[in-house]
Amino acid sequence: MDHSGMTSAQLLKTSPKESAFCGQPAHRMGSPAVPCNVLGPPPAVWPPLDFVLGALACCAACVFTNPLEVVKTRLQLQGELRVRGSYHIHYRGVLQALWVVGRTDGLRGLQKGLSAGLIYQGVMNGVRLGSYSWCEALGITAVHGGSLLSGAGAGALGAFIASPAYLVKTHLQAQTADAIAVGHQHNHLGVSDAFVTIYRRDGLSGLWRGVNGAVPRVMVGSAAQLATFTSAKDGVSHSQWFSANAWLTALIAATISGVAVAITMTPFDVISTRLYNQPVDEFRKGRLYHGFTDCLMKVCQAEGPLGLYKGMGPVFLRLAPHTVLSMLFWDLMRQQAVKDE
């Protein structure tokens, strides 16, 4: 959910006459012991605690989807600025790439960059959820187009603040044995070493290298998801095929929405990965790209328009489960917080 502007309420919005889980009238959901209550209307939680729970939920989902992030990074860096056929292809698809990484780097290799990924998810979503809720409190989301703009803006702010963690995550996920290496190898010893090395070499601004690709990526992804998820969920709900299970409805809607998001966001994701991972010269300038537009033009010229869609498979496969897992964990933790109170 690193690009989404959706809230738990948007994901699970149902008819007021039905619960989200059982399809039962809402007035029958009073007891905390009833499982339906887990997916009912969002419980009242102290806002700062709610932001923390939302960030933790996204971190929990990240643990399950991080292997797809590793594969996505490798696929997007493979054949960088080279014509197809002029380089050796190590990764030929999601499943084959997962197998190659697991065989070469071991199971731990599939979780490369997880620590940095957790930092990114925690900071990014804490800021995003807090900003979005602030927009709700001001009434901005109630006006026409306000939800779309608030989601995109809140996501962009979160992506900007958390950008150093995404930079380090990209570096670590690209690192591997020479036999299957793609893209520039930064050879960091770990998360803390990466932060220190980048800061000492490039200064504070160096930690925000590539942010000019990250912010458009999050804004486009968030806008596409907000624009397609609700209509997809309404369509699935109206079909009444899965009226008894709101999470199945949400998963199908997230999958449908994921197609639109993957198509619109993958080019920005590729550019973001390239800008983050490129080496820098002695003047702290990127050796391969001068910025977002320069990267876009060079990729299209060297690799063709399809070069912008490298890694779209894992982008799509990650979207739906990450979104639904995040919201599921968030709702469960909210319910537990209410019980504790």
Side-chain angles (χ1 to χ4, degrees), residues 197-267:
T197 300
I198 295 171
Y199 175 74
R200 286 178 176 173
R201 184 190 64 200
D202 304 327
L204 188 62
S205 61
L207 290 170
W208 269 267
R209 182 178 308 283
V211 71
N212 54 335
V215 171
R217 165 186 173 271
V218 171
M219 292 184 71
V220 169
S222 180
Q225 189 170 55
L226 281 166
T228 59
F229 179 83
T230 302
S231 57
K233 188 170 184 293
D234 287 343
V236 175
S237 298
H238 290 158
S239 71
Q240 297 184 340
W241 293 343
F242 309 102
S243 59
N245 193 328
W247 282 112
L248 184 56
T249 301
L251 178 60
I252 293 173
T255 303
I256 295 171
S257 175
V259 176
V261 177
I263 291 173
T264 55
M265 193 183 75
T266 298

Side-chain angles (χ1 to χ4, degrees), residues 66-67 69-75 90-91 93-112 173-177 180 182:
N66 191 65
E69 277 286 305
V70 174
V71 167
K72 180 207 74 174
T73 300
R74 303 283 178 87
L75 287 169
H90 299 293
Y91 309 102
V94 178
L95 294 178
Q96 186 265 358
L98 287 169
W99 181 78
V100 168
V101 174
R103 181 193 63 181
T104 306
D105 297 335
L107 293 178
R108 291 183 62 183
L110 293 171
Q111 290 290 12
K112 281 192 173 182
Q173 289 178 339
Q175 286 183 192
T176 186
I180 58 170
V182 291

Side-chain angles (χ1 to χ4, degrees), residues 77-160:
L77 291 173
Q78 183 168 248
E80 185 170 16
L81 298 183
R82 298 179 66 180
V83 179
R84 187 174 180 84
S86 66
Y87 59 90
H88 182 70
I89 299 176
H90 299 293
Y91 309 102
R92 299 180 180 277
V94 178
L95 294 178
Q96 186 265 358
L98 287 169
W99 181 78
V100 168
V101 174
R103 181 193 63 181
T104 306
D105 297 335
L107 293 178
R108 291 183 62 183
L110 293 171
Q111 290 290 12
K112 281 192 173 182
L114 178 60
S115 298
L118 293 175
I119 296 171
Y120 174 78
Q121 289 290 336
V123 174
M124 190 272 189
N125 285 289
V127 173
R128 184 181 64 81
L129 294 170
S131 301
Y132 190 86
S133 294
W134 183 65
C135 290
E136 284 183 318
L138 293 176
I140 298 174
T141 58
V143 302
H144 180 68
S147 178
L148 190 68
L149 291 174
S150 297
L157 179 61
F160 178 83

Side-chain angles (χ1 to χ4, degrees), residues 81 271 291-303 308:
L81 298 183
I271 293 171
F292 183 92
T293 304
D294 183 57
C295 181
L296 173 65
M297 298 301 296
K298 285 182 176 178
V299 171
C300 288
Q301 290 172 359
E303 305 170 48
L308 293 171

